[in-house]
Amino acid sequence: MFRCTDLPNKRRRMGRKVTLAVATLNQWALDFEGNMSRIMESILEAREMGATYRTGPELEVTGYSCEDHFHESDTYLHAWEILVEIMMSPHCQNMLIDVGMPVQHRNVAYNCRVVFHNKRILLIRPKLVMCDDGNYRETRWFSSWTKERQTEEFYLPRMVSAATGQHTVPIGDAVIATRDTCLGYEICEELWTPRSTHIDMSLSGVEIIVNSSGSYMQLRKAYITTDLIRNASFKAGGAYLFSNLRGCDGQRVYFNGCSAIALNGHVVARGKQFALEDVEVTTATIDLEDIRSYRVAMRSRCTIAASTPTYPRVNVDFALSHACDLNIPPSTPLEWVYHSAEEEIALGPACWLWDYLRRSGQGGFFLPLSGGVDSSSTAIIVHSMCRLVVKSVMLGDIQVLHDIRKILADPDFTPDNPAALCNRLLVTCYMGSENSSKETRQRATSLANQIGSYHLEINIDGAVSALLAIFNTVTGMKPLFKTQGGCPRQNLALQNIQARTRMVLSYLFAQLMLWVRNRPGGLLVLGSANVDEALRGYMTKYDCSSADINPIGGISKTDLKRFLLYAKDKFNLPIVSDIVTAPPTAELEPLRDGALAQTDEEDMGMTYNELSEFGRLRKQNYCGPYSMFCKLVSMWKDSRTPREISDKVKHFFRCYAINRHKMTVLTPSYHAESYSPDDNRFDHRPFLYRANWSWQFKCIDEELERITGPPTAPPSSGDDIGSAKSGHSPSSGRRTTSGLEKRSSPLFFSETVTTGMSSGGSAHQLNNHVQHGHETLKLTKSHSSGGYSKMHSSVMGKIKDRTGVPV
């Protein structure tokens, strides 16, 4: 058999093919030991797969989400300690490796790649462009390296010098030159910025461009990264390596993997988007001559490249290719198949829950299961997690098996059935009351049986009655529902006490159910409020949505329904059909003849589809009330009149303003939607607003008058503005008057006198007096565009927690 060594030395040629590895790691902020172990495992796997170069994700040594811990000197100290451990390992020799970690240089903190070979650091490459949008706040902790194509001397810590024998190494915007090729670096945001450096580097002769990233998942967004990688290698030629984090490292986001290698515009290798495994290594073998011939054929590129300034090169006496690579097949282009949004919902939150569960030290989940779309979605996501765990164990993932045994405190347990595992991990509880229907109870029970959860049914009426008895003892007053003659404030209080009682009972059961089942530990309480309800504030503050974590808090109601229909067939859950078709309801008001008297969309004064549109325009399109109205006039021209759109927009912004304070206590939620209203990390806006938006609404009225002419006066009527039907009529007329009249009356209501009052008006009272234990309210006229018409009577719905007069 002919061997390369049979050739005379003068006939041996430099190799053409290089095997490159990108690592996908599930790191954890400040878990230095665990992070090092996963980095080492990825290096070993890359070596076993024949790679001579390995790269990993952004800030992989410390974890990406350390946040203000990046201000602590300990974080930098421990990062250097971990780097020395990795560099000195015998498994890391004769291989070009880089890792991501924070570095302080001249009292400035940088997000860096540290490149090393055979126990020597070659280059510290700082990040050039910081990311400060979405959930990112990088300039809070790091600075950009602004000296293009320049390096400086970095003085190594003494412990590093003792290990490497080096005292200084270059830091800055430089590239690595091996004996056979040249590598350059981008870090995460540098791929997204309009002035990406991969163009300049490729023109300067860099053939392999490496990007380490911390990119998180959003629904329907996986294609963006893929297109950027593909286009970066297509336009300039060359290989592009993209290495991303995956998993929950301590925050609301889920880093979604998808590490990939592209060559000349084609993806030739890729990793999974969602998976439970902590380490995944993706390799590709590329022919360097393919890069060179591709570039040389692009004549316009060659003309520009001939005059392009060069990058500082750090030379290393090492070749990525082998002399004898004739029989090594190069990687071929592959088709990237994206998950549907329904699959992303089934997989992403499930993986996020798994990371949170195994790292929190808790023994499972507790979920109030109402039989509606939201809580059912949460339950099915947990079931999906159980399916992923069983699948991983069956495929031989030792880490997942170790984790599940630790969670269940059962060293001999081996999961082989998702429903049986779900029974041990998930406790569901239907918390019924006299206002609950038998249909929701039956749906909750059926779903629990089909997914396998440990299910309970309790009645909360006793707890609610006890709390109301205390109120009655202190005040001598007994609140009544609206249908029993009570005013809206009484009606809301009676709804809210049910919701908050469920929260208290949820935590009681979560803390004690494993004790009841003779297991150590406690359960994490799961929330089930969707992103649309959070946006409008359609939830009681500190109710059963106030949980430990919420896997659907970043997902719209519309997407959740699609997900349920997907799960029905995928997971064989026939009860889902009944859940999806049932009208959404909170079931907090008395039934009428055993039937529902309350639905969510009627309470809200808008549909869930409309809410999603409002959310996208508010956040993604950066629309205030006036801009939103202008856009919707053309978008909804076939289904709504301009006046109806005006009423809808005003109603939404009133609700949004009144309830924005609830976002400050929103349960930490899985981030999935780019119009999320979560104000803790993603949506930085006030939580105290001028609720009548007087100037903005006046601009809408002026535009509306220009389009349609002056509005007609509404018919005089003594209708109860608390009526659900009239309260949400999209065609209700409204008065507009001069600015003088508006200033003369700071309180804005529909013209009526009533013994019942809308939720929107219940906050703002005039001429209030008590007659025979019941309130009679006299309300002023609506004198401005900030007023409450019948359309706007249910601003608060079941979810207004505090009252006051709008200013």
Side-chain angles (χ1 to χ4, degrees):
M1 183 178 66
F2 176 79
R3 295 173 297 177
C4 183
T5 53
D6 297 333
L7 288 173
N9 286 340
K10 64 179 182 180
R11 294 179 58 192
R12 296 183 191 175
R13 296 179 175 85
M14 179 63 69
R16 299 162 46 123
K17 298 169 186 173
V18 295
T19 300
L20 311 169
V22 291
T24 304
L25 304 180
N26 191 329
Q27 302 295 72
W28 190 7
L30 299 178
D31 179 23
F32 290 97
E33 188 173 15
N35 293 346
M36 180 179 69
S37 175
R38 288 180 282 271
I39 291 171
M40 287 300 304
E41 184 179 342
S42 72
I43 293 171
L44 286 172
E45 286 190 23
R47 179 181 293 279
E48 291 171 358
M49 298 167 77
T52 52
Y53 173 76
R54 176 270 182 202
T55 188
E58 188 174 12
L59 294 170
E60 58 190 305
V61 171
T62 58
Y64 184 86
S65 300
C66 296
E67 301 195 321
D68 281 0
H69 289 288
F70 286 124
H71 293 317
E72 300 171 3
S73 61
D74 282 8
T75 304
Y76 298 84
L77 168 67
H78 299 324
W80 281 113
E81 291 171 339
I82 296 301
L83 178 67
V84 170
E85 291 285 334
I86 295 171
M87 287 176 58
M88 295 300 113
S89 169
H91 302 295
C92 299
Q93 307 313 307
N94 299 315
M95 190 177 189
L96 187 62
I97 299 169
D98 65 78
V99 296
M101 58 181 274
V103 173
Q104 286 185 356
H105 173 59
R106 298 180 181 176
N107 303 324
V108 178
Y110 296 101
N111 175 349
C112 298
R113 300 305 296 176
V114 179
V115 190
F116 61 90
H117 174 258
N118 286 353
K119 302 182 182 181
R120 291 183 63 83
I121 297 175
L122 303 176
L123 172 68
I124 300 174
R125 203 288 198 170
K127 192 171 184 178
L128 308 183
V129 181
M130 297 291 105
C131 187
D132 282 320
D133 57 13
N135 286 287
Y136 298 108
R137 297 290 179 273
E138 289 184 350
T139 54
R140 182 179 175 92
W141 310 294
F142 301 115
S143 298
S144 301
W145 182 267
T146 58
K147 302 166 185 176
E148 294 185 10
R149 296 185 178 91
Q150 296 180 45
T151 63
E152 297 174 350
E153 289 299 307
F154 176 83
Y155 289 85
L156 292 169
R158 282 178 290 181
M159 62 177 171
V160 182
S161 295
T164 66
Q166 300 170 281
H167 296 289
T168 63
V169 296
I171 181 172
D173 187 15
V175 298
I176 300 293
T178 66
R179 293 204 304 261
D180 52 356
T181 189
C182 187
L183 299 92
Y185 291 89
E186 289 188 327
I187 302 177
C188 199
E189 181 69 10
E190 296 171 36
L191 174 62
W192 274 261
T193 187
R195 288 189 58 197
S196 294
T197 53
H198 61 257
I199 298 295
D200 290 336
M201 283 190 286
S202 65
L203 292 172
S204 186
V206 176
E207 296 178 332
I208 300 170
I209 297 171
V210 183
N211 186 301
S212 62
S213 187
S215 178
Y216 59 78
M217 174 266 183
Q218 285 187 172
L219 289 174
R220 304 176 181 89
K221 296 297 177 66
Y223 75 92
I224 295 177
T225 304
T226 309
D227 288 351
L228 288 170
I229 296 167
R230 195 182 279 130
N231 291 336
S233 65
F234 171 79
K235 189 171 184 179
Y240 200 98
L241 280 60
F242 176 80
S243 179
N244 195 23
L245 292 162
R246 183 168 60 212
C248 167
D249 76 342
Q251 263 299 347
R252 292 161 169 80
V253 299
Y254 178 84
F255 298 108
N256 67 328
C258 296
S259 298
I261 299 174
L263 176 67
N264 297 339
H266 298 284
V267 175
V268 295
R270 58 158 291 190
K272 294 186 285 290
Q273 182 176 4
F274 305 108
L276 301 188
E277 57 193 300
D278 284 342
V279 177
E280 180 187 21
V281 176
T282 303
T283 62
T285 298
I286 64 172
D287 191 331
L288 296 174
E289 293 301 323
D290 288 342
I291 297 173
R292 294 157 189 165
S293 59
Y294 183 91
R295 287 181 171 178
V296 169
M298 298 171 63
R299 301 314 302 157
S300 60
R301 177 215 164 268
C302 293
T303 302
I304 300 172
S307 60
T308 296
T310 189
Y311 277 78
R313 293 198 175 202
V314 177
N315 296 303
V316 53
D317 187 17
F318 177 69
L320 298 183
S321 60
H322 301 286
C324 305
D325 57 13
L326 190 62
N327 293 322
I328 301 176
S331 301
T332 56
L334 54 83
E335 185 67 26
W336 192 300
V337 179
Y338 300 102
H339 290 294
S340 66
E342 294 79 9
E343 290 174 318
E344 289 183 314
I345 295 171
L347 297 172
C351 293
W352 185 76
L353 283 180
W354 170 249
D355 281 345
Y356 200 99
L357 176 62
R358 68 194 180 108
R359 290 171 171 172
S360 68
Q362 298 301 300
F365 302 110
F366 180 89
L367 172 67
L369 184 61
S370 69
V373 166
D374 296 331
S375 62
S376 297
S377 296
T378 298
I380 292 173
I381 286 170
V382 176
H383 178 73
S384 176
M385 183 201 79
C386 294
R387 299 175 75 94
L388 291 173
V389 170
V390 170
K391 181 179 178 181
S392 294
V393 170
M394 294 179 68
L395 291 174
D397 193 318
I398 301 300
Q399 184 62 51
V400 173
L401 179 60
H402 169 77
D403 288 337
I404 194 61
R405 287 175 172 176
K406 184 178 179 180
I407 291 167
L408 297 175
D410 186 347
D412 300 318
F413 176 74
T414 301
D416 57 4
N417 182 283
L421 179 59
C422 191
N423 185 266
R424 302 188 67 165
L425 287 179
L426 176 63
V427 176
T428 53
C429 183
Y430 182 83
M431 298 182 173
S433 72
E434 61 184 359
N435 302 321
S436 303
S437 65
K438 62 181 181 180
E439 290 82 8
T440 55
R441 183 186 301 269
Q442 291 170 352
R443 291 198 295 269
T445 302
S446 297
L447 179 62
N449 291 335
Q450 291 175 20
I451 66 174
S453 67
Y454 186 91
H455 190 61
L456 306 170
E457 290 188 6
I458 64 174
N459 191 294
I460 67 169
D461 288 334
V464 173
S465 297
L467 293 170
L468 292 176
I470 295 173
F471 179 82
N472 179 257
T473 300
V474 173
T475 66
M477 306 283 283
K478 181 180 180 181
L480 299 173
F481 283 105
K482 181 173 59 177
T483 56
Q484 300 165 342
C487 72
R489 279 189 298 177
Q490 298 173 50
N491 195 61
L492 287 171
L494 290 174
Q495 292 183 62
N496 289 339
I497 193 61
Q498 297 171 68
R500 291 184 175 122
T501 298
R502 289 183 170 119
M503 183 271 289
V504 174
L505 290 172
S506 293
Y507 276 95
L508 174 66
F509 277 82
Q511 290 175 331
L512 295 179
M513 278 309 299
L514 291 189
W515 170 65
V516 171
R517 301 182 74 183
N518 197 30
R519 274 177 51 195
L523 302 173
L524 292 165
V525 180
L526 294 181
S528 55
N530 63 63
V531 71
D532 297 327
E533 291 171 345
L535 175 66
R536 189 202 177 279
Y538 189 68
M539 61 180 71
T540 301
K541 205 172 185 179
Y542 307 116
D543 73 345
C544 59
S545 66
S546 301
D548 292 315
I549 51 175
N550 181 1
I552 68 166
I555 306 173
S556 72
K557 190 83 155 192
T558 305
D559 281 334
L560 288 175
K561 287 184 176 181
R562 295 193 186 104
F563 159 68
L564 287 179
L565 293 175
Y566 162 84
K568 169 182 171 290
D569 298 325
K570 183 70 175 180
F571 303 151
N572 189 26
L573 305 173
I575 188 59
V576 165
S577 295
D578 295 336
I579 294 171
V580 171
T581 56
T585 175
E587 290 195 328
L588 295 174
E589 294 187 32
L591 303 174
R592 293 175 185 167
D593 300 323
L596 292 175
Q598 176 186 35
T599 63
D600 289 349
E601 291 186 336
E602 190 174 29
D603 267 3
M604 293 191 301
M606 61 190 75
T607 67
Y608 281 105
N609 288 338
E610 290 170 343
L611 250 181
S612 294
E613 199 63 64
F614 293 146
R616 292 188 182 93
L617 290 173
R618 181 198 72 101
K619 178 67 176 176
Q620 296 173 354
N621 293 83
Y622 306 102
C623 289
Y626 175 74
S627 294
M628 186 179 292
F629 167 75
C630 293
K631 285 185 179 291
L632 288 176
V633 166
S634 59
M635 292 170 60
W636 289 357
K637 62 182 179 182
D638 296 330
S639 59
R640 297 278 192 279
T641 67
R643 191 168 302 281
E644 290 171 341
I645 294 170
S646 168
D647 285 342
K648 288 277 186 181
V649 169
K650 292 175 183 177
H651 182 50
F652 165 73
F653 273 99
R654 287 193 189 96
C655 298
Y656 167 77
I658 289 173
N659 293 292
R660 178 68 185 179
H661 63 94
K662 297 177 185 178
M663 297 305 95
T664 63
V665 295
L666 196 67
T667 295
S669 302
Y670 174 85
H671 178 84
E673 185 57 75
S674 55
Y675 68 85
S676 168
D678 178 5
D679 89 328
N680 291 281
R681 293 292 187 277
F682 186 72
D683 189 29
H684 291 231
R685 298 172 193 241
F687 58 87
L688 180 62
Y689 281 92
R690 182 182 180 91
N692 64 11
W693 303 85
S694 56
W695 186 269
Q696 294 92 329
F697 286 4
K698 182 168 73 73
C699 291
I700 293 178
D701 287 342
E702 290 171 353
E703 189 68 25
L704 182 64
E705 186 170 344
R706 189 186 67 80
I707 297 172
T708 64
T712 57
S716 177
S717 170
D719 291 346
D720 181 359
I721 64 172
S723 163
K725 261 187 187 176
S726 66
H728 303 104
S729 169
S731 58
S732 297
R734 305 195 318 101
R735 296 180 186 272
T736 58
T737 59
S738 69
L740 177 63
E741 291 174 312
K742 181 167 70 175
R743 288 192 297 272
S744 68
S745 179
L747 304 171
F748 313 126
F749 301 98
S750 299
E751 182 179 4
T752 184
V753 177
T754 177
T755 57
M757 185 174 172
S758 75
S759 300
S762 65
H764 324 299
Q765 303 161 57
L766 287 177
N767 307 320
N768 180 12
H769 62 277
V770 177
Q771 294 182 349
H772 309 296
H774 295 282
E775 297 177 353
T776 302
L777 307 178
K778 293 185 68 176
L779 308 181
T780 64
K781 292 182 179 181
S782 174
H783 284 304
S784 82
S785 58
Y788 291 101
S789 71
K790 295 178 181 180
M791 166 66 199
H792 306 131
S793 63
S794 186
V795 174
M796 294 172 292
K798 72 181 179 67
I799 40 69
K800 184 68 172 83
D801 298 306
R802 62 192 189 196
T803 56
V805 178
V807 294

